[in-house]
Amino acid sequence: ADRTVTVVEAVDRLLGRAVAPVVASHVRQRLEATGVRILTGTSIARIEGENGHVVAAITSAGERLPARMVVVGVGAVPNVELAQAAGLSIANGIRVDHQMRTSVPEILAIGDAASYRHWFTGGDVRLESVQNATDQARLAARTITGHADSYSAVPWFWSDIGDMKLQMVGLTAGGDSHVVLGDLPDNKFSIYHYAGDRLLGIESVNRPGDHMLGRKMLGAGFSPTPQTIAAGPEGLKAALAAFQNMELAKAGA
């Protein structure tokens, strides 16, 4: 209470690596409505202090922002020095296969430092999330104990921002269209992202049911049509059940 907050973002929008522009714009509008000032395309040139305490941050544009606290979020890079010294293959992290084995099969790597060819997108990724790390840990344990499973977890992420519970499932890079379910002004909506007719991922704000159903759909390999999405959650559940029954029938044929 009685504190002003200024967000200084170096790139041209919020959440540039995390969500689609339509969601980032919504988040910005909601934050600004609560009095948060947001500066994009701007960075911090220096921080001023007195008597061991911060007193201001100076932006790259020369603006002085009085401050009692500065929270710095600059991202992370994988620590690969030990892996390099061990002769492991490195490419945006420690390269692993679908069983979490490195280029030296007796050595496994998991989590934020591990990069791999993702089963869902076909592209190389390095995911920084709790879900990814814990799922890979379980798979690595199975690999060590002699199992030959391949990594096939559906990636999902979440963040609480103000009055918004933001939940994401899938990887939406490369999408060329999207469908909206819900209402942005009501602060309850989901964005379904497609590449052609394939569902890539879902970004939800204050609609946790959509997120959980999306995890089931992507895990099953089910891509609903935009018309099915428009029918709402019950229509999606029925369509998913029909798809799963059809897949079971194919497997039993």
Side-chain angles (χ1 to χ4, degrees), residues 77-96:
V77 294
N79 185 337
V80 298
E81 288 79 4
L82 180 61
Q84 285 178 318
L88 306 186
S89 177
I90 304 296
N92 185 31
I94 305 168
R95 291 295 296 177
V96 298

Side-chain angles (χ1 to χ4, degrees), residues 82-170:
L82 180 61
Q84 285 178 318
L88 306 186
S89 177
I90 304 296
N92 185 31
I94 305 168
R95 291 295 296 177
V96 298
D97 63 15
H98 285 177
Q99 295 177 335
M100 302 297 107
R101 297 185 187 275
T102 68
S103 56
V104 178
E106 294 78 15
I107 301 176
L108 280 66
I110 64 169
D112 294 8
S115 67
Y116 58 99
R117 182 64 52 87
H118 200 277
W119 67 273
F120 184 72
T121 66
D124 293 337
V125 298
R126 184 178 60 80
L127 299 179
E128 300 174 9
S129 74
V130 172
Q131 169 265 326
N132 181 67
T134 54
D135 283 345
Q136 288 184 346
R138 294 187 185 98
L139 179 62
R142 290 185 60 80
T143 298
I144 291 170
T145 54
H147 297 274
D149 304 341
S150 292
Y151 190 58
S152 60
V154 175
W156 56 271
F157 318 87
W158 64 272
S159 182
D160 290 332
I161 306 174
D163 62 354
M164 295 164 284
K165 177 172 284 296
L166 175 60
Q167 295 172 292
M168 299 148 283
V169 58

Side-chain angles (χ1 to χ4, degrees), residues 133-213:
T134 54
D135 283 345
Q136 288 184 346
R138 294 187 185 98
L139 179 62
R142 290 185 60 80
T143 298
I144 291 170
T145 54
H147 297 274
D149 304 341
S150 292
Y151 190 58
S152 60
V154 175
W156 56 271
F157 318 87
W158 64 272
S159 182
D160 290 332
I161 306 174
D163 62 354
M164 295 164 284
K165 177 172 284 296
L166 175 60
Q167 295 172 292
M168 299 148 283
V169 58
L171 298 172
T172 60
D176 52 31
S177 65
H178 67 263
V179 177
V180 179
L181 182 63
D183 192 4
L184 273 72
D186 285 345
N187 198 31
K188 294 181 180 180
F189 63 92
S190 293
I191 311 290
Y192 293 73
H193 294 275
Y194 284 84
D197 59 1
R198 185 189 185 200
L199 180 65
L200 296 179
I202 305 164
E203 297 168 338
S204 300
V205 173
N206 294 331
R207 287 182 67 109
D210 291 353
H211 173 77
M212 295 305 297
L213 183 56

Side-chain angles (χ1 to χ4, degrees), residues 9 11-25 28 40-41:
E9 171 57 68
V11 298
D12 60 358
R13 69 176 178 91
L14 298 181
L15 301 168
R17 294 176 54 211
V19 299
V22 62
V23 179
S25 177
R28 177 169 187 161
T40 53

